[in-house]
Amino acid sequence: MQEDHEGPWLFTPGPINTARRTKEAMLRDMGSRDADFIAMTGRVCERLLAVSGAGEDYVCVPVQGSGTFAVEAAFGTLVPKSGKVLVLVNGVYGRRIARILAVAGRQFTVLETAETAAPAGADVARALSADPAITHVALVHCETTSGILNPAEEIAAAVAKSGRRLIVDAMSTFGILPLPAKSVAYDALIASSNKCLEGVPGMGFAIVKRDVLAAASGHAHSLALDLFDQWQFLERTAQWRFTPPTHVMAALDAALEAYMAEGGSAARLARYKRNCEVLVSGMRRLGFRTLIPDRQQAPVIVTFESPADPRFRFETFYGHLRRRGFVIYPGKLTTAETFRVGCIGAIGTEQIEGLLAAVREVIAEMALTLAPAV
Ligand SMILES: Cc1ncc(COP(=O)(O)O)c(C=O)c1O
């Protein structure tokens, strides 16, 4: 993958490594009101909708900014001021949704599980029947904090059965683990350009049920993050409401082209799964332990327990790997000393093997004692 790659290999949850052609797509300046860019916006939104598999009842609304901007726009717009959200929390990004709701002045309640445990449909059903004021449920599909995959189908069934609405943060699964709108009846899915689609950072988007969005006029607490207004402006003019991230869109356009050429979600998932398997088995051979059980591990990012050896310091480990051209990620868990390694982006098993060889060298350099599994 990428013979002429420059710079370090990123084993992170985004920004991730992008293909050369994706980067090259940004070498052209485009006028935001020009016909070429208007056509590009239409094409990218159509393709994102197609990737979601959501069908004709849904629309795609792009939002300037990072993924959080799109999450904030979606919750602020789709949850009315009289609404109340049950937020399923097992990591940072669930907690961030609760914070967004607090800032937006929406009522919410939290159902929290450990960072290493997924919420269960039965617990969601119980929480919903105990509180009739709840109108919406917020779910993070893959909680990137740990890499755990939350059971969307089971939770969506509990939400649908109780007649509430579901909003899913699919930031780190969009493009590899589709959520069919038929079995996971959601009002909105939110994701961004710079994860499994392998674009560059700078925009998010929401796949939203058209009738739900059409009824959301005046809900938003923010001008810039009003998804309804953004959609209406796009519908009327085919243009973005405010300055669009033209280069980011050009990169995403090229990244989507490459995504389809690779074989769409099945092929990309297969590559990431291979990356994940080679990473996990190689790290286990070196003596590292994973935090999340294999059956709940999304092939997105893997959390490893920091070795017990007192000579292990993440900053030193990171620095030695960085000097060899590999960037890993610190842990984000509140309960355990960990670090993370991403499997997504324009990387393959060759890069994973390269990282494993570097880790082996760094273990020797730091004189770490690990207990390799036999
Ligand atoms: C599940 C999830 N939600 C939200 C976000 C926030 O996205 P951003 O950092 O682009 O604002 C991330 C980022 O990694 C994520 O993984």
Side-chain angles (χ1 to χ4, degrees):
M1 201 152 236
Q2 294 196 54
E3 313 266 296
D4 51 358
H5 172 79
E6 286 167 32
W9 289 107
L10 305 178
F11 296 87
T12 57
I16 37 78
N17 284 112
T18 56
R20 176 164 286 273
R21 283 176 77 166
T22 299
K23 288 189 266 281
E24 281 171 356
M26 294 185 285
L27 292 175
R28 185 162 71 106
D29 300 316
M30 269 182 298
S32 58
R33 312 286 176 214
D34 185 69
D36 278 3
F37 184 68
I38 288 175
M40 182 182 280
T41 297
R43 182 167 63 242
V44 166
C45 287
E46 254 171 48
R47 284 177 170 171
L48 292 174
L49 203 51
V51 171
S52 76
E56 287 175 2
D57 295 341
Y58 288 78
V59 295
C60 171
V61 188
V63 180
Q64 296 94 328
S66 81
T68 304
F69 290 62
V71 176
E72 187 157 354
F75 279 92
T77 306
L78 301 178
V79 178
K81 294 194 172 71
S82 58
K84 180 171 182 182
V85 185
L86 173 67
V87 188
L88 308 181
V89 172
N90 58 346
V92 166
Y93 298 107
R95 229 167 272 132
R96 187 174 298 172
I97 293 174
R99 179 94 187 99
I100 284 170
L101 292 165
V103 169
R106 299 295 193 276
Q107 282 192 78
F108 66 94
T109 182
V110 165
L111 179 63
E112 184 152 4
T113 44
E115 286 166 333
T116 50
D123 295 334
V124 173
R126 246 191 312 279
L128 292 177
S129 62
D131 188 348
I134 295 170
T135 53
H136 293 73
V137 174
L139 167 70
V140 179
H141 191 198
C142 166
E143 186 39 272
T144 324
T145 312
S146 64
I148 195 169
L149 188 65
N150 286 323
E153 275 83 3
E154 185 185 318
I155 287 160
V159 176
K161 199 162 171 214
S162 69
R164 318 300 170 87
R165 330 282 318 181
L166 180 67
I167 300 178
V168 185
D169 171 347
M171 205 68 66
S172 59
T173 52
F174 191 88
I176 58 162
L177 296 170
L179 292 173
K182 280 204 176 68
S183 56
V184 181
Y186 56 81
D187 276 3
L189 266 193
I190 310 142
S192 72
S193 50
N194 63 285
K195 293 199 187 286
C196 302
L197 296 176
E198 299 185 2
V200 303
M203 61 168 281
F205 56 89
I207 307 292
V208 196
K209 211 161 184 207
R210 189 193 308 268
D211 58 355
V212 170
L213 190 54
S217 169
H219 288 178
H221 62 298
S222 154
L223 171 73
L225 298 178
D226 186 337
L227 213 57
F228 174 84
D229 252 16
Q230 182 90 331
W231 174 53
Q232 284 297 294
F233 195 88
L234 268 160
E235 288 277 291
R236 268 199 321 275
T237 65
Q239 297 177 12
W240 294 57
R241 217 169 23 141
F242 307 130
T243 302
T246 44
H247 297 74
V248 176
M249 279 290 281
L252 184 57
D253 193 27
L256 283 164
E257 196 75 44
Y259 173 84
M260 289 180 306
E262 185 176 353
S265 93
R268 186 139 306 173
L269 174 64
R271 173 158 60 86
Y272 290 176
K273 269 188 169 166
R274 272 196 308 280
N275 287 350
C276 188
E277 282 159 13
V278 172
L279 173 71
V280 168
S281 58
M283 290 292 276
R284 281 184 181 150
R285 271 196 303 276
L286 292 172
F288 289 94
R289 293 215 306 240
T290 53
L291 193 78
I292 300 298
D294 291 355
R295 67 191 155 76
Q296 288 175 305
Q297 173 71 60
V300 171
I301 190 160
V302 182
T303 301
F304 293 97
E305 292 173 12
S306 295
D309 187 329
R311 280 173 294 221
F312 181 85
R313 285 200 50 244
F314 176 75
E315 293 71 23
T316 316
F317 186 66
Y318 177 95
H320 286 312
L321 288 173
R322 177 67 184 84
R323 273 191 292 285
R324 287 167 168 82
F326 300 97
V327 171
I328 61 164
Y329 221 53
K332 221 173 190 174
L333 268 76
T334 50
T335 48
E337 282 300 318
T338 57
F339 65 91
R340 291 177 290 170
V341 183
C343 328
I344 64 174
I347 54 171
T349 51
E350 196 187 319
Q351 284 70 43
I352 303 282
E353 298 285 7
L355 172 70
L356 290 169
V359 170
R360 199 174 302 119
E361 286 174 18
V362 172
I363 290 172
E365 200 170 333
M366 291 175 73
L368 295 176
T369 304
L370 285 91
V374 268

